[in-house]
Amino acid sequence: MKKKIVLVIVLLSFIFGGNLFAQAAGSWQIVGKAGDWKNTIAAVGMGGLLYTVESSGVLYTTDVKTGVWKQLGKAEFAKTKFLLASGSDLISIEESGSLYRINASNGSWKQIGKAGEWKNTIAATVIGTTIYTVETSGVLYATDLASGTWRKIGKPDYANTVALLSNSTTLLTAESSGTLYLIEPDSGAWKQLGKSADYEDTINGVLIGDALYTIEVSGALYATDIGTGKWKQLGKPDFATTGFALSIGGQLYTIETSGSLYRIFTN
């Protein structure tokens, strides 16, 4: 009788797309072993994989379905300041200001543009094959990752930017004031998202589709609809020690300061 019940449950789960035991929004599930990502200094999701750089300079890829990880290439990445993804490649900006394309299958790399050209970068993100960066001067730049050529966008309005976030089409800035702005990627024109200073206590954020997920110093997780600016809290305030918030395969993941990796359920 028990075998029949289990079979029925499995069949129902298959019929309903595996959502029979759907997790509540804001709940979480550990991936891999606790503390495996303790020494992570940079991280990005691409496809269904997590890519991380450790303080030792080693680049790792992790299958988030299993938590199994492997090293890519040599320990050459200890000076990574920003780690991003474009297509099937990783993109890094080093502390020296040099920009590199990294082969995500073997860890080999190639410089883009001139050495040190991104030395004053304070925020960076990628849309398609273009990297958007903000410099200490407040200038927003767009760089073609194929050629390394760059252009200035709009006016130098971004000196107070603390983060650049993006999805496949949308560019968003988070300012030190706690205010968010949607940026038109071609012209640099901007408009405010939500109320001023709504995000002044935000310590982490990631844009996934049309939803912005942010974590506050209190540990609360919020989802903001970037079309309307409306937000709601998800789950309990369990996230105060989040070090990285990541989009991996269209899902929300976090790496805690303890080095543990979690999948966060958002709906």
Side-chain angles (χ1 to χ4, degrees):
M1 184 63 177
K2 288 182 179 179
K3 290 182 179 179
K4 290 183 179 179
I5 292 172
V6 170
L7 180 60
V8 169
I9 290 173
V10 170
L11 287 172
L12 286 172
S13 182
F14 176 79
I15 292 169
F16 291 102
N19 293 321
L20 189 62
F21 302 109
Q23 300 283 342
S27 61
W28 42 266
Q29 180 181 64
I30 195 167
V31 177
K33 296 179 181 178
D36 263 359
W37 292 267
K38 175 68 175 176
N39 297 314
T40 297
I41 61 170
V44 69
M46 185 167 66
L49 299 174
L50 167 66
Y51 295 86
T52 55
V53 173
E54 304 238 323
S55 54
S56 62
V58 176
L59 171 65
Y60 290 96
T61 179
T62 301
D63 184 335
V64 294
K65 291 182 180 179
T66 63
V68 175
W69 48 264
K70 64 178 181 180
Q71 182 175 337
L72 297 177
K74 301 176 182 179
E76 300 177 310
F77 305 97
K79 300 299 183 180
T80 300
K81 185 176 180 181
F82 298 97
L83 186 66
L84 307 163
S86 174
S88 59
D89 294 321
L90 298 173
I91 305 296
S92 74
I93 298 177
E94 301 288 294
E95 292 174 3
S96 65
S98 295
L99 176 65
Y100 295 93
R101 182 190 306 277
I102 303 167
N103 186 310
S105 62
N106 60 27
S108 62
W109 47 266
K110 181 179 180 181
Q111 187 172 313
I112 300 171
K114 297 178 181 179
E117 282 199 312
W118 290 267
K119 176 68 175 177
N120 296 316
T121 297
I122 58 174
T125 194
V126 169
I127 298 178
T129 58
T130 301
I131 182 170
Y132 293 88
T133 56
V134 171
E135 304 234 326
T136 51
S137 62
V139 175
L140 172 65
Y141 290 95
T143 300
D144 185 326
L145 289 169
S147 64
T149 57
W150 47 264
R151 62 186 177 89
K152 179 182 174 182
I153 300 176
K155 300 177 181 179
D157 293 328
Y158 305 96
N160 295 316
T161 296
V162 293
L164 277 173
L165 304 171
S166 63
N167 57 23
S168 59
T169 59
T170 302
L171 184 62
L172 183 92
T173 70
E175 302 293 299
S176 57
S177 64
T179 304
L180 299 182
Y181 295 92
L182 290 168
I183 312 301
E184 207 292 311
D186 290 326
S187 67
W190 48 265
K191 65 177 181 180
Q192 188 171 316
L193 176 65
K195 297 178 181 179
S196 297
D198 257 0
Y199 301 85
E200 62 182 344
D201 293 323
T202 296
I203 58 172
N204 240 302
V206 63
L207 192 56
I208 304 177
D210 292 328
L212 171 66
Y213 296 96
T214 54
I215 294 169
E216 305 276 297
V217 290
S218 65
L221 169 65
Y222 292 92
T224 299
D225 184 325
I226 62 171
T228 64
K230 293 181 179 180
W231 49 264
K232 62 179 179 180
Q233 184 174 342
L234 302 179
K236 300 176 181 178
D238 293 330
F239 306 96
T241 58
T242 296
F244 297 90
L246 304 154
S247 172
I248 307 174
Q251 304 292 324
L252 177 61
Y253 287 80
T254 64
I255 299 175
E256 301 294 296
T257 53
S258 65
S260 295
L261 173 65
Y262 294 92
R263 177 185 175 184
I264 314 300
F265 297 90
T266 56
N267 52 41

